[in-house]
Amino acid sequence: MTTGKIESKIKYSARDIGDALRTIDPKFKGPSDEQIPIIESLHLGPTVVIAGAGSGKTETMSARVLWLVANGVVAPNEILGLTFTRKASGELASRIRKRLRQLRQIGLLPNNPETKNELDIAVTVSTYHAYAGRVLSEHAIRMGVDASADPIGEAAAWQIANNIVNNFASEATNSSDITHSAKTIVDKVMALSGALGEHGVTTEQVRNFCEELLGKFSTITDSQSNDPVRDLASSLRERLAILPMIEEYERYRFERGLLTFNDQMALAAKLVTESFGQEIIDAERAKFKIVLLDEY
């Protein structure tokens, strides 16, 4: 939708909506002078708003939704709001639905343009993890991953990693390169596995990097070496030794559909980089015309 088309639809300003809501909720403060340009922005492309703690980010997001819906720019079901926590997503969803019901009550909510019936005020608001989980549940089969079950908690994931570390076949790794306790190695396996997923990096890439760096250390003579160099070389060798454990940890979980919340984010991101990724992107864009990200 072009800026001109959006502008032609505008009937109510943010202040008009605030004043109308105040007639049935005297405690409603309405938008501030700083919030109004954000709420009324005609730009529907990627936009970043910089705001500090307590500046009213959530209220501005909900006011933006009210302004867009009241002016018929988009329908509520074409809006997606994402936050970090369940508490935040619940509060944002509750606030938006309450205000949309109030707008309907005072006659500022348009009817459905197709059916002429009352507009459905259901707005999709969820956490980033929940949204990634939903996308994954619909498309993970394309990657051969079973994502139908609920994510496992950190304690369950730790137990799986602990079993793998303690039972890992001695011939699969050079145990002399392991310098930390089993508990510490379990923590390292989980931490590195999570970091790989977050950054879209494979164990093979890490292995190549570590081996290349260690190869450079091999040219350093004893007289040129020092404690920091020896410590780094030892750390690299240990990392190489635990990479097979990480591969087994991930294989075990993925084959059984035992995904963590971090897995959901990583796999959802990977989905859209595959050959079929654009198809998924297009499907999501068809569902949601407006996406609001809270503290992304």
Side-chain angles (χ1 to χ4, degrees), residues 158 161 165 178-196 234-236 238-239 242-243 245-246 249:
W158 191 92
V165 169
I178 303 293
T179 61
H180 290 86
S181 67
K183 180 182 181 303
T184 300
I185 295 302
V186 172
D187 293 338
K188 285 177 175 288
V189 165
M190 291 188 64
L192 185 52
S193 175
L196 292 176
S234 176
S235 177
L236 289 170
E238 184 176 73
R239 176 156 292 188
I242 69 174
L243 285 176
M245 301 179 191
I246 293 173
Y249 170 66

Side-chain angles (χ1 to χ4, degrees), residues 164-165 167-178 207 237-248:
I164 287 172
V165 169
N167 297 318
F168 206 79
S170 60
E171 64 270 16
T173 186
N174 188 348
S175 58
S176 65
D177 290 334
I178 303 293
R207 182 176 287 108
R237 284 192 291 270
E238 184 176 73
R239 176 156 292 188
L240 284 169
I242 69 174
L243 285 176
M245 301 179 191
I246 293 173
E247 291 167 342
E248 176 62 16

Side-chain angles (χ1 to χ4, degrees), residues 195-266:
L196 292 176
E198 289 177 4
H199 293 86
V201 176
T202 66
T203 53
E204 192 59 31
Q205 288 174 304
V206 175
R207 182 176 287 108
N208 292 338
F209 174 81
C210 291
E211 289 176 346
E212 180 181 352
L213 201 52
L214 278 172
K216 294 178 180 179
F217 287 165
S218 66
T219 63
I220 299 176
T221 64
D222 290 340
S223 61
Q224 295 173 319
S225 184
N226 54 34
D227 287 342
V229 170
R230 286 189 286 272
D231 289 344
L232 178 55
S234 176
S235 177
L236 289 170
R237 284 192 291 270
E238 184 176 73
R239 176 156 292 188
L240 284 169
I242 69 174
L243 285 176
M245 301 179 191
I246 293 173
E247 291 167 342
E248 176 62 16
Y249 170 66
E250 294 181 348
R251 184 200 64 77
Y252 181 93
R253 291 185 299 104
F254 289 179
E255 285 184 356
R256 292 163 176 79
L258 301 174
L259 305 181
T260 65
F261 287 104
N262 287 337
D263 290 333
Q264 289 186 328
M265 295 288 283

Side-chain angles (χ1 to χ4, degrees), residues 137-150:
S137 67
E138 294 178 2
H139 301 284
I141 191 65
R142 298 170 183 256
M143 300 171 62
V145 174
D146 179 9
S148 58
D150 291 335

